[in-house]
Amino acid sequence: MSNFIVKKVAVLGAGVMGAQIAAHLINARVPVVLFDLPAKEGPKNGIALRAIENLKKLSPAPLGIKDEAGLIQAANYEDDIALLKECDLVIEAIAERMDWKHDLYKKVAPHLASHAIFATNTSGLSITALSDGFDADLKSRFCGVHFFNPPRYMHLVELIPTATTQPQILDQLEAFLTTTLGKGVVRAKDTPNFIANRVGIFSILAVFAEAEKFGIPFDVVDDLTGSKLGRAKSATFRTADVVGLDTMAHVIKTMQDTLHDDPFAPVYKTPAVLKGLVDAGALGQKTGAGFYKKEGKAIKVLDAKTGQYVDAGKKADEIVVRMLKKEPAEHIKLLRESTNPQAQFLWSVFRDVFHYIAVYLEQIAGSAADIDLAIRWGFGWNSGPFEDWQSAGWKQVAEWVKEDVEGGKALSDATLPAWVFSGPVAENQGVHAAAGSWSPATQSFEARSTLPVYQRQAFRAAIKGTAAADSRKAGRTVEENDAVRIWVSEGQDDVLVVSFKSKMNTIGPDVIDGLTRAIDLAEAGYKGLVVWQPTSLQLGAPGGPFSAGANLEAAMPAFMMGGAKGIEPFVKKFQDGMMRVKYASVPVVSAASGIALGGGCELMLHSAARVAALETYIGLVEVGVGLVPAGGGLKEAALAAARAAQAAGSTNYLQFLTSRFQSAAMAKVSGSALEARQMGYLQPSDRIVFNVHELLYVAQNEVRALANAGYRAPLPTLVPVAGRSGIATIKASLVNMRDGGFISAHDFLIASRIAEAVCGGDVEAGSLVSEDWLLALERKAFVDLLGTGKTQERIMGMLQTGKPVRN
């Protein structure tokens, strides 16, 4: 076995996609050179340099740490082309013009390393046609690698071979994309727009056609086709605005230019409303107007009939919303039978997409799984179109689609393939089975890829109907109650795992009891404990929240009976639970993704080590409900500042405390795990994992590594603190903020209590205090604030509306 190590990557083209692909490579710690044409004026690398600088301004942020934009090496094709020899992977990402790409290939091909993989990030051009003119060796190392925008956040990458691409090249690239860049890879056939854009853009065109037919306004369409269908919140037309209407028109044109004989060809005509917007320069979000337009604080939406912008915000009919809450088989039936235009619209869109994927499955994909995963990962659907069809009752829905096609109601008269009605799919009642997913080419149910990289994924993205393990039930349960499940993975029974079962994995007294019990069990017979959360989404695919923090609702009965003082035992129990984690005699490793806020952050801080997915957002946010962190988060800030001061040979503890105080006082949440490391919530030794499906695997191995190295819990120690002089310095700056109107009087009070806790209270600077002393300061501040009317207003506002109250 030989290692495939990508030491350096070149990205050709510093446009929107090229620059953001380069940014994500930097996130993943892969050195990258970003090429573009030499600038006609100023520095010759000016085009690439401007693109790199612009990365800092984009939202959502392409970089985990904005200041790391400078790590991207700028280059131009005249002066720096020799740098290509150093690159193991070269990704071309210039404009979608076949002639421009061929011109560039002629220029760079002689300079590529003999082992380098050469890939194009085209969104739909023929990979085979792009390779015309290559010698046999380069053809064997060439393929398509289609990232979705924005590359940091979109999970999907389509990998498209030609007939001459070496299989080993594809396997190596799939492993790199999966583990190093954290992507979900789908192999697509070399057909126009590949899989996700082919099906996804068709589904959008179907929405255009059916919305016009049934007279549904654009904002109502978006209300119907977003989260209510289990799809991206931005739905259809908002998504189009974000992507760019010119980009959408370009992808549609690729279908027009390459699919002339297609029975659905009339559908590929650019919708008149889209053409009109593009011609007018209204390209969506980047130009300030598209289907939507912001005027002051008001959001306007285009009225298709008048061409004018009107107030947005119209909603779906309540009767249709109620239909969508039913089980799939029932809601599809109700939509089809209803006379409500919105219901008819939704049934028509479902029908059109089911019709299309059945007709084109064999032509565009290896199996039905590839279509479902591509649409889920590339377009943000919770379930793929084949999964939807199968869940709604395969045979019945197939008959309804056939009936509509024969009745002239569909967008094409193309006949459904025979395999839909007879043979293995009909017998199985769907395209997904325990053995795998249907492939018309092989006339069998094909299993998912078994590349070694997937052995790192205890729970791969599940597909409904297949034999995927449910991460909420898989493995062997050691103990379970309403609060937690304590279990071991199959074949991994030396490491214990605890998973919470509360809403948003909040931490109440019962979860603390469960966590403590898990540590007891781990100490009795395991190498250590991993805290890892499954999620119900897509049969338990990982990636949900680690923990939204302490369960305030669970504490309310104690508050109602004993007032603020009645909460103190709850807070003390929480603190004791965190200290049990810290001083466990076996390593406790937190494996986090999504949000880790408040008590979730404190659980991570007290763990022996942390493993975090790149998209983990960590912070102490208690000030949002008028409280201070009281699970040891401020205590850990004081300890970290003392360690940093000691390492620097300084006794100015406040200097090393200021940023940590500000993070808590401003409820600052990291924008990535990389930024969390900068903020001190993760340590330099903590692992950052790019593929969330590998999180549990890495955490289990981290426990083993610690245990095998002879892990010992830290010894309790006394902590030097900033004391009363530190408190006074912080309060002086807070007074200025309060008097200047930047913070309210209650904000001043909360921040002052945070300052008192992190500085160690009313003691001399440099005084040594215990962890218990610091915890008592946190606890007192928490209880005192809870007794104030303004904090109670903030808590009730958050519980009732989910939004912070400013008072």
Side-chain angles (χ1 to χ4, degrees):
M1 174 184 154
S2 61
N3 286 343
F4 174 67
I5 299 173
V6 177
K7 294 176 183 171
K8 186 181 279 190
V9 175
V11 177
L12 311 181
V16 173
M17 282 302 288
Q20 291 199 57
I21 291 168
H24 192 57
L25 286 158
I26 290 297
N27 289 336
R29 300 310 184 241
V30 179
V32 60
V33 187
L34 181 62
F35 279 86
D36 212 298
L37 296 167
K40 292 175 181 172
E41 296 177 0
K44 286 184 81 173
N45 287 337
I47 296 173
L49 287 168
R50 282 193 294 275
I52 291 166
E53 188 61 26
N54 190 53
L55 290 168
K56 300 177 187 176
K57 304 170 191 170
L58 294 179
S59 179
L63 288 152
I65 299 173
K66 288 184 180 182
D67 291 343
E68 290 187 344
L71 297 178
I72 301 171
Q73 184 177 355
N76 70 80
Y77 301 118
E78 281 185 11
D79 299 344
D80 308 306
I81 203 154
L83 291 172
L84 290 173
K85 276 272 188 271
E86 302 171 10
C87 298
D88 308 294
L89 171 62
V90 177
I91 301 171
E92 170 270 305
I94 69 168
E96 294 286 88
R97 284 270 302 264
M98 186 80 73
D99 54 341
W100 291 0
K101 290 179 188 284
H102 277 148
D103 287 346
L104 178 61
Y105 296 173
K106 285 174 193 165
K107 188 182 295 182
V108 302
H111 301 277
L112 299 176
S114 59
H115 70 283
I117 297 174
F118 190 27
T120 173
N121 182 56
T122 178
S123 59
L125 297 179
S126 166
I127 310 301
T128 303
L130 285 170
S131 70
D132 284 351
F134 291 173
D135 61 29
D137 177 57
L138 187 52
K139 275 191 176 183
S140 73
R141 293 183 279 121
F142 184 72
C143 63
V145 55
H146 180 210
F147 288 83
F148 274 64
N149 190 21
R152 170 182 162 185
Y153 302 94
M154 296 303 291
H155 192 57
L156 177 65
V157 170
E158 290 175 312
L159 193 55
I160 312 103
T162 70
T164 55
T165 308
Q166 289 178 41
Q168 181 188 8
I169 292 286
L170 296 168
D171 293 350
Q172 290 172 334
L173 196 48
E174 184 165 347
F176 171 76
L177 292 165
T178 301
T179 287
T180 306
L181 299 190
K183 298 304 172 189
V185 176
V186 169
R187 295 201 187 187
K189 294 186 179 181
D190 189 11
T191 55
N193 286 346
F194 315 128
I195 296 174
N197 275 343
R198 179 76 176 268
V199 175
I201 294 298
F202 171 82
S203 77
I204 290 171
L205 288 169
V207 167
F208 271 104
E210 303 295 359
E212 183 179 6
K213 177 180 172 184
F214 291 100
I216 315 293
F218 296 131
D219 49 352
V220 175
V221 168
D222 276 355
D223 193 46
L224 285 165
T225 60
S227 51
K228 290 181 176 68
L229 283 191
R231 298 179 187 175
K233 192 176 178 182
S234 53
T236 305
F237 297 110
R238 283 189 194 280
T239 299
D241 275 357
V242 171
V243 169
L245 304 190
D246 52 340
T247 303
M248 178 168 288
H250 174 80
V251 177
I252 293 169
K253 189 172 187 304
T254 303
M255 296 168 86
Q256 293 167 5
D257 293 346
T258 53
L259 297 169
H260 304 294
D261 302 327
D262 190 311
F264 287 85
V267 185
Y268 306 148
K269 183 182 177 185
T270 306
V273 65
L274 178 62
K275 184 177 186 304
L277 287 167
V278 173
D279 289 347
L283 306 180
Q285 200 171 72
K286 58 189 170 187
T287 61
F291 288 102
Y292 293 88
K293 180 181 181 182
K294 194 169 184 182
E295 293 182 1
K297 292 188 176 179
I299 303 293
K300 304 278 190 174
V301 65
L302 187 70
D303 184 314
K305 293 175 184 172
T306 66
Q308 302 299 308
Y309 287 95
V310 298
D311 288 340
K314 294 184 287 296
K315 299 291 184 184
D317 291 345
E318 185 56 37
I319 190 170
V320 179
V321 174
R322 288 203 298 271
M323 290 179 197
L324 292 175
K325 290 178 179 175
K326 307 283 187 183
E327 290 301 309
E330 189 176 357
H331 82 234
I332 291 285
K333 182 174 186 289
L334 289 169
L335 292 173
R336 184 174 185 273
E337 292 175 350
S338 174
T339 57
N340 182 290
Q342 294 179 17
Q344 281 292 298
F345 157 75
L346 282 176
W347 157 249
S348 300
V349 172
F350 274 118
R351 175 203 63 219
D352 296 339
V353 174
F354 294 159
H355 185 198
Y356 195 77
I357 58 176
V359 170
Y360 288 108
L361 171 58
E362 182 170 5
Q363 186 183 122
I364 67 174
S367 77
D370 295 330
I371 286 181
D372 279 343
L373 292 173
I375 292 298
R376 274 165 41 178
W377 294 341
F379 281 80
W381 295 19
N382 282 354
S383 57
F386 275 122
E387 290 176 297
D388 288 343
W389 183 349
Q390 188 161 330
S391 297
W394 182 268
K395 187 172 183 295
Q396 178 62 79
V397 171
E399 292 294 343
W400 286 337
V401 174
K402 179 171 181 274
E403 187 180 316
D404 277 12
V405 171
E406 291 174 349
K409 294 181 180 179
L411 296 178
S412 164
D413 60 2
T415 307
L416 287 167
W419 56 260
V420 171
F421 298 101
S422 63
V425 170
E427 290 163 17
N428 180 65
Q429 283 294 297
V431 289
H432 300 305
S437 299
W438 180 250
S439 168
T442 63
Q443 289 288 295
S444 65
F445 293 99
E446 295 280 322
R448 305 264 296 271
S449 168
T450 57
L451 286 175
V453 68
Y454 294 114
Q455 293 171 16
R456 298 169 59 86
Q457 299 187 9
F459 304 103
R460 291 176 73 175
I463 297 171
K464 294 176 185 174
T466 64
D470 182 344
S471 61
R472 296 163 298 163
K473 301 173 184 173
R476 176 175 61 83
T477 299
V478 176
E479 287 187 14
E480 185 171 14
N481 57 32
D482 291 341
V484 301
R485 179 179 179 234
I486 305 169
W487 57 287
V488 291
S489 299
E490 193 173 333
Q492 310 268 346
D493 56 5
D494 57 336
V495 176
L496 202 59
V497 183
V498 62
S499 301
F500 304 165
K501 295 167 70 177
S502 51
K503 184 180 179 182
M504 299 290 284
N505 300 320
T506 52
I507 305 171
D510 51 352
V511 170
I512 291 289
D513 287 340
L515 180 59
T516 304
R517 175 61 180 158
I519 294 169
D520 291 343
L521 291 168
E523 288 177 337
Y526 298 86
K527 287 187 171 178
L529 176 70
V530 172
V531 184
W532 176 84
Q533 315 295 11
T535 168
S536 59
L537 183 64
Q538 296 163 7
L539 296 182
F546 177 69
S547 174
N551 187 343
L552 286 176
E553 287 187 76
M556 290 313 288
F559 176 72
M560 299 304 290
M561 290 180 65
K565 203 71 182 162
I567 294 289
E568 190 161 5
F570 170 85
V571 181
K572 179 71 165 64
K573 181 168 190 152
F574 198 106
Q575 292 179 338
D576 290 347
M578 295 303 101
M579 294 293 275
R580 182 74 178 97
V581 168
K582 182 171 183 175
Y583 290 105
S585 56
V586 294
V588 177
V589 172
S590 287
S593 65
I595 57 171
L597 304 178
C601 173
E602 289 169 320
L603 173 54
M604 294 183 72
L605 288 171
H606 286 85
S607 299
R610 290 138 293 275
V611 176
L614 174 68
E615 303 306 335
T616 308
Y617 313 110
I618 308 172
L620 297 169
V621 296
E622 285 81 357
V623 297
V625 287
L627 294 168
V628 301
L634 300 180
K635 177 229 352 152
E636 287 298 307
L639 265 67
R643 286 193 298 269
Q646 184 180 21
S650 171
T651 56
N652 183 358
Y653 303 109
L654 183 60
Q655 176 187 344
F656 297 92
L657 195 59
T658 303
S659 65
R660 290 176 169 86
F661 162 77
Q662 289 173 343
S663 292
M666 297 169 66
K668 186 176 179 186
V669 177
S670 71
S672 68
L674 293 168
E675 191 180 14
R677 183 181 275 163
Q678 265 193 336
M679 294 167 68
Y681 291 137
L682 295 178
Q683 297 304 309
S685 57
D686 290 334
R687 309 290 174 201
I688 294 177
V689 175
F690 276 66
N691 195 315
V692 73
H693 296 281
E694 298 182 359
L695 193 61
L696 180 58
Y697 169 88
V698 175
Q700 288 168 324
N701 281 329
E702 191 68 15
V703 164
R704 290 188 189 98
L706 289 166
N708 292 343
Y711 177 80
R712 298 289 301 178
L715 289 171
T717 184
L718 295 175
V719 190
V721 292
R724 66 175 70 93
S725 61
I727 297 169
T729 303
I730 293 174
K731 280 190 176 180
S733 65
L734 291 173
V735 166
N736 291 335
M737 293 179 71
R738 181 195 62 196
D739 293 350
F742 297 105
I743 60 174
S744 69
H746 198 57
D747 290 328
F748 173 82
L749 174 62
I750 298 162
S752 297
R753 299 308 298 264
I754 293 174
E756 290 163 11
V758 293
C759 291
D762 188 15
V763 296
E764 290 291 333
S767 295
L768 296 174
V769 302
S770 68
E771 288 185 81
D772 284 343
W773 171 272
L774 292 168
L775 289 170
L777 289 172
E778 285 187 16
R779 201 161 59 244
K780 185 174 189 314
F782 186 96
V783 172
D784 288 351
L785 285 167
L786 188 57
T788 66
K790 295 224 178 256
T791 283
Q792 291 167 20
E793 285 173 19
R794 291 191 183 190
I795 292 172
M796 292 312 296
M798 182 64 77
L799 290 176
Q800 288 168 5
T801 68
K803 296 178 182 176
V805 172
R806 305 315 308 163
N807 58 8

